[in-house]
Structure formats: structure tokens, C-alpha cells
Amino acid sequence: MCICFSIGNCGSSLPKTNLEERKQFLKAVGLPILVSIQPRHNKDKKELQLFIKTENLTKVNISKFQILFFASDGNRQLLIPDESKTPELICSIQKKIQPNSIYKCLVGPYVFTQLWNSIQVQSISFTTEDQIRHVIDEEDLNDVILWL
């Protein structure tokens, strides 16, 4: 699902793409990141893999970044990957994410006993270079996530 927001061109004569509009909106409302998630999966084999790109839209370095996911079945029951003891699927970037740069993270591949039906982002958190921890709250998750 992709939610696009329209905002003015701010005097620019170049047409903006939906991605550019999304970034401009996030900067204007103070949301510091844009996360693109591309699921790569084979449901028939009960496999799940997520390719994630994180872009720092702030003017400060992000020193630590983490996204917590869950996979669920058709009955909305959380699934535990075959080789795990807990259901959490985590993308963690421990490198410094500089302003206006993109970092990639691969989650999986995971194999489940049951067929998975959906992927839910539980939380996104990051720490800025001044060691302040930030959490993107539930109401803002859809604004900062682009599903590809």
C-alpha cells in the first residue's frame, strides 16, 4: 500500500515524483526517515525475505537503527520462523547513517511451518548521534514506510 501526499512545488519548475513528494512531506512534518520495504518471498515454500532501504532525511547522523516485524497467518496468529524461538523479525543497522544517504538491510530468508499471510511492522526506532533514542509511533508508521 502506498499513501502519497500532495504538497506545493515550493517554486520549483521541475515536476516532483511521488517519492520526492513523500520525502518533502516527511521533512516538513519532522519525520526523519523513509523506509522502503520490498518483500521477496515464495509463499508456496513458506519462505519470507524482506529487502529494506532506509533513508536518513535529517541533518544529523543516525548511529543505530532498528525495525521490528512480525509475520502472521490467515487467522492473524503470529508465526515463529522454523529456526527461531521467538516470532520477531528484525532489521538492525549498526552503522552510522549519514544525512541524505540510503542504507540497505536484508531480513531473512525465513521459513515457516505454516503458510504466512501478512507482514506487520511493529516498530521503528533509531538513535541519533547525540545518543537520543527515537521511536516512530504507530500512527506515523504508514507515513514513513513505502511497500514496493
Side-chain angles (χ1 to χ4, degrees):
M1 179 167 86
C2 177
I3 302 169
C4 296
F5 297 90
S6 295
I7 42 185
N9 283 343
C10 300
S12 172
S13 60
L14 297 174
K16 297 205 180 326
T17 65
N18 289 341
L19 181 59
E20 289 170 334
E21 288 177 358
R22 172 74 68 99
K23 289 180 190 179
Q24 197 173 48
F25 169 78
L26 292 174
K27 286 179 182 180
V29 298
L31 292 171
I33 57 170
L34 177 63
V35 178
S36 302
I37 304 172
Q38 180 178 5
R40 295 179 179 169
H41 54 275
N42 185 337
K43 279 191 173 186
D44 295 337
K45 292 185 178 179
K46 303 174 186 174
E47 292 179 357
L48 171 63
Q49 187 172 20
L50 301 170
F51 181 70
I52 300 157
K53 291 191 300 187
T54 302
E55 185 169 356
N56 180 355
L57 303 176
T58 69
K59 295 183 191 285
V60 299
N61 291 324
I62 293 174
S63 61
K64 199 183 292 183
F65 176 83
Q66 183 171 299
I67 303 177
L68 178 64
F69 300 92
F70 292 104
S72 60
D73 64 13
N75 296 322
R76 297 187 179 229
Q77 297 296 310
L78 295 183
L79 300 176
I80 298 174
D82 287 354
E83 297 181 11
S84 299
K85 294 181 180 180
T86 60
E88 299 90 5
L89 311 176
I90 299 172
C91 164
S92 184
I93 300 173
Q94 300 295 325
K95 299 176 189 173
K96 186 186 301 182
I97 304 174
Q98 298 175 346
N100 300 310
S101 62
I102 297 173
Y103 285 78
K104 299 172 184 172
C105 177
L106 184 64
V107 175
Y110 291 103
V111 177
F112 299 94
T113 305
Q114 303 103 305
L115 284 175
W116 62 272
N117 185 53
S118 64
I119 307 158
Q120 175 189 348
V121 177
Q122 180 66 32
S123 66
I124 297 176
S125 63
F126 61 94
T127 304
T128 52
E129 63 188 348
D130 54 4
Q131 299 307 308
I132 297 174
R133 185 170 183 269
H134 303 269
V135 177
I136 303 292
D137 62 24
E138 199 171 327
E139 68 183 42
D140 292 328
L141 279 176
N142 287 334
D143 290 339
V144 301
I145 297 171
L146 264 179
W147 289 93
L148 302 175

